[in-house]
Amino acid sequence: MVLYFFSTPSMQEKIKEKTIDYILRSTWMNVTKMYNEEAGKKGSTMATGFALISIDPEIGTPSTALGPKMGMEATSLSRTLKSMETKGLIERKPNPEDGRGVLIHLTPFGKEMRDFSKKVVLGFDEAVQKNVSAEELQIFRKVAHTINELINSKQIYDSE
């Protein structure tokens, strides 16, 4: 359901201002589609690219740290990691600091795909920065930060 807010009922025909939620969702859907199209050129996905970028290329990353770092649920992350392992992007090694833990390491192919993923993300950043002023980006970042703060501090809805 798409909701619209109008400043006055008589302006309903002239101005249809989309909700903040709609703008965030539609923008993120477009970004996701764009990233998946670029990743698809190399037989990958946005989720895989994000995981590759989140793994330390030198020392590896504890598997337990990846979920929170990426904002992914354990089941989705587990599926992504299994797929990455099957494709030869990562390997699991025992964590020397935690006998029960596992470190996720990039293979040489994983490092190559990590570099590709970083270029895609940086290319997007560069394109936006060329078309949006520094002042507008600063405001965008401030608004995004405020939205995250409101959500994280439970200031929008009661937790009951």
Side-chain angles (χ1 to χ4, degrees), residues 51 54-55 61-72 77 81 104:
S54 300
I55 297 168
T61 299
S63 57
T64 53
L66 273 179
K69 192 173 185 180
M70 295 175 56
M72 282 180 88
L77 178 61
L81 292 176
I104 306 297

Side-chain angles (χ1 to χ4, degrees), residues 103-121:
L103 287 176
I104 306 297
H105 285 272
L106 298 175
T107 63
F109 179 51
K111 288 180 181 181
E112 178 185 322
M113 290 299 290
R114 182 181 193 274
D115 289 342
F116 168 76
S117 298
K118 280 183 72 172
K119 285 178 186 164
V120 170
V121 171

Side-chain angles (χ1 to χ4, degrees), residues 38-131:
E38 286 303 304
K41 294 176 183 177
K42 296 265 192 173
S44 190
T45 65
M46 181 188 83
T48 296
F50 191 31
L52 289 167
I53 291 170
S54 300
I55 297 168
D56 187 298
E58 303 306 319
I59 61 170
T61 299
S63 57
T64 53
L66 273 179
K69 192 173 185 180
M70 295 175 56
M72 282 180 88
E73 296 294 327
T75 27
S76 298
L77 178 61
S78 179
R79 207 173 312 123
T80 299
L81 292 176
K82 186 164 182 63
S83 169
M84 292 171 70
E85 195 169 23
T86 302
K87 292 177 181 174
L89 296 165
I90 61 166
E91 54 190 9
R92 300 169 198 246
K93 296 181 180 177
N95 186 341
E97 295 177 14
D98 176 3
R100 298 169 299 156
V102 174
L103 287 176
I104 306 297
H105 285 272
L106 298 175
T107 63
F109 179 51
K111 288 180 181 181
E112 178 185 322
M113 290 299 290
R114 182 181 193 274
D115 289 342
F116 168 76
S117 298
K118 280 183 72 172
K119 285 178 186 164
V120 170
V121 171
L122 294 174
F124 171 68
D125 253 35
E126 189 178 304
V128 171
Q129 289 176 14
K130 282 183 182 175
N131 290 280

Side-chain angles (χ1 to χ4, degrees), residues 1-6 15-27 147 157:
M1 175 170 78
V2 177
L3 301 174
Y4 295 96
F5 291 110
F6 308 103
I15 300 174
K16 289 187 177 183
E17 188 174 322
K18 294 178 175 86
T19 63
I20 294 164
D21 171 79
Y22 177 85
I23 294 165
L24 289 171
R25 280 185 298 110
S26 64
T27 302
I147 290 169
Y157 302 111

